[in-house]
Amino acid sequence: MKNIEYKLFEQESFNLTHIFECGQCFRWNKENDGSYTGVVKNSVINVQKNGDEIIFKGTSNEDFENTIREYFDLDTNYDEIKRKLASIDKYLKESTEFGNGIRILHQDLWECIISFIISANNNIPRIKKIIETISKNYGEKIEWNNKVYYTFPTVEALAKASVEDLRAMGLGFRDIRVYNTTHLILDKKFDMERIQKMDDSNQMREELLKLDGVGPKVADCILLFALKRFDVFPIDVWVRRVMNDLYIHNENEEKVNKKELTKLAEEKFLGIQGLAQQYLFYWKRETA
DNA sequence: ACCCAGGGTCGTC
DNA sequence: GACGACCCTGGG
């Protein structure tokens, strides 16, 4: 493993807190100096910001600069996206200003599938803890700066875990779902390469829904965070809440129809619903 | 101590 | 298509 440092200057839309605390990822932790450290594929990465300067440090065997470019979605123009969204109405204006430094990370498909199956009816601290435990037990060890990190396990590695092993790691009722999905992928009943080549979001969603533990919400998160489909709208309790408060005004928020919400988002946010969702989610959750 | 919610999904009716 | 159940943890 090589020790690497890479710097970026004057990168638009890049706020560490916004990126790592907006709920899209579970494996990044804040350091005492305000930087964040995480594991991406086989690399440990630490990101810090000094004014206009963004410094990536870490250890890697691969093309570090390219890994960074892809993972942090540096080729997407977020200023343009924010301009479009802000022009829709005052709420989008406010939420894009609030989360102005958000970027949608390009996460690994396999890791994303398992992580969001675990996220079902769960809270973020516990989700993070479970994923960390899984990585410790089935991932590869990496040492960097006198600290120990673990990669997220491969399909083959995680397939060695029994349902009981998974339960023991704190997954609760999600154990069987993770087990079944892992084996569907291991046995090639679900082809991760094929889905990455598809171009229709609805067709991709249909495929994802075949996995155990993947319903409409989790499928849309996978589409948004790993398959880079911005034309999806994951509906969870927070988004339902914010959309109802702003646009629908139903007295009973739980009764808000999902189809109606999806259609409203499609019409309002025109192909970048996923981004709108992320700004609204972060805004509402942090200011609630 | 007790209750509730947490980035939902599944099986059953 | 509605409804309750589901494991576990943290916060009121």
Side-chain angles (χ1 to χ4, degrees):
Chain A
M1 286 280 196
K2 278 183 283 188
N3 212 3
I4 304 184
E5 181 166 327
Y6 171 62
K7 288 185 185 181
L8 272 181
F9 299 94
E10 296 180 12
Q11 176 69 42
E12 44 91 17
S13 293
F14 205 109
N15 178 296
L16 299 179
T17 309
H18 296 174
I19 291 172
F20 297 122
E21 311 284 354
C22 73
Q24 61 177 323
C25 56
F26 304 106
R27 292 213 73 198
W28 287 86
N29 294 305
K30 194 174 186 171
E31 305 286 357
N32 292 330
D33 63 1
S35 69
Y36 280 79
T37 309
V39 180
V40 178
K41 294 187 179 178
N42 297 315
S43 306
V44 178
I45 300 178
N46 172 270
V47 196
Q48 64 180 108
K49 212 174 168 188
N50 286 330
D52 281 346
E53 192 181 29
I54 305 162
I55 305 152
F56 301 88
K57 290 179 191 165
T59 176
S60 176
N61 286 327
E62 292 150 35
D63 180 351
F64 195 66
E65 188 176 331
N66 201 42
T67 300
I68 297 288
R69 176 155 295 282
E70 221 185 283
Y71 185 75
F72 287 93
D73 197 24
L74 297 182
D75 293 323
T76 297
N77 186 337
Y78 282 81
D79 276 352
E80 195 184 321
I81 288 167
K82 281 182 287 182
R83 261 201 306 281
K84 274 189 197 162
L85 290 174
S87 72
I88 293 170
D89 60 34
K90 60 181 175 180
Y91 307 123
L92 266 299
K93 186 168 189 298
E94 194 173 337
S95 61
T96 50
E97 277 166 12
F98 182 82
N100 66 79
I102 289 177
R103 306 187 81 81
I104 304 294
L105 299 169
H106 190 167
Q107 302 183 56
D108 177 72
L109 177 59
W110 155 245
E111 179 173 344
C112 197
I113 290 171
I114 298 301
S115 299
F116 278 90
I117 290 174
I118 293 167
S119 81
N121 191 222
N122 210 341
N123 56 58
I124 293 180
R126 185 173 164 217
I127 298 166
K128 289 180 78 166
K129 208 161 99 185
I130 293 170
I131 296 173
E132 204 51 44
T133 307
I134 288 180
S135 302
K136 247 181 210 142
N137 286 313
Y138 294 90
E140 297 283 328
K141 189 176 183 179
I142 311 174
E143 288 184 53
W144 183 64
N145 269 0
N146 301 319
K147 275 193 189 163
V148 179
Y149 300 87
Y150 295 88
T151 62
F152 189 81
T154 61
V155 181
E156 291 74 16
L158 193 59
K160 292 195 166 63
S162 66
V163 179
E164 292 73 24
D165 292 333
L166 293 166
R167 181 60 67 107
M169 290 189 287
L171 274 86
F173 60 81
R174 306 161 195 82
D175 54 1
I176 186 73
R177 300 177 181 173
V178 168
Y179 182 89
N180 286 339
T181 288
T182 300
H183 285 270
L184 276 173
I185 294 172
L186 182 74
D187 301 340
K188 302 277 182 201
K189 301 257 169 53
F190 177 90
D191 190 341
M192 289 201 292
E193 309 229 332
R194 197 167 71 87
I195 194 171
Q196 301 196 62
K197 286 177 191 148
M198 292 181 179
D199 46 29
D200 179 50
S201 298
N202 291 317
Q203 195 188 354
M204 289 167 137
R205 184 185 291 102
E206 257 177 62
E207 279 301 306
L208 289 168
L209 290 174
K210 292 177 183 167
L211 295 170
D212 196 9
V214 177
K217 154 68 172 59
V218 170
D220 280 356
C221 281
I222 297 166
L223 283 163
L224 180 57
F225 300 135
L227 296 165
K228 306 303 292 174
R229 309 307 304 201
F230 290 173
D231 58 340
V232 298
F233 196 69
I235 298 170
D236 57 58
V237 287
W238 291 99
V239 173
R240 191 187 291 267
R241 200 168 294 162
V242 66
M243 290 295 280
N244 187 44
D245 288 354
L246 302 183
Y247 306 115
I248 302 172
H249 313 297
N250 191 323
E251 285 176 25
N252 187 350
E253 144 196 320
E254 287 172 12
K255 292 277 183 243
V256 175
N257 186 288
K258 260 189 104 152
K259 271 202 165 148
E260 185 193 338
L261 258 184
T262 305
K263 205 174 131 220
L264 177 65
E266 213 175 300
E267 290 165 359
K268 257 189 180 316
F269 309 135
L270 304 166
I272 46 174
Q273 302 96 296
L275 277 302
Q277 190 267 11
Q278 209 50 202
Y279 290 110
L280 290 170
F281 171 81
Y282 182 58
W283 177 48
K284 192 65 182 179
R285 210 196 56 194
E286 296 296 314
T287 58

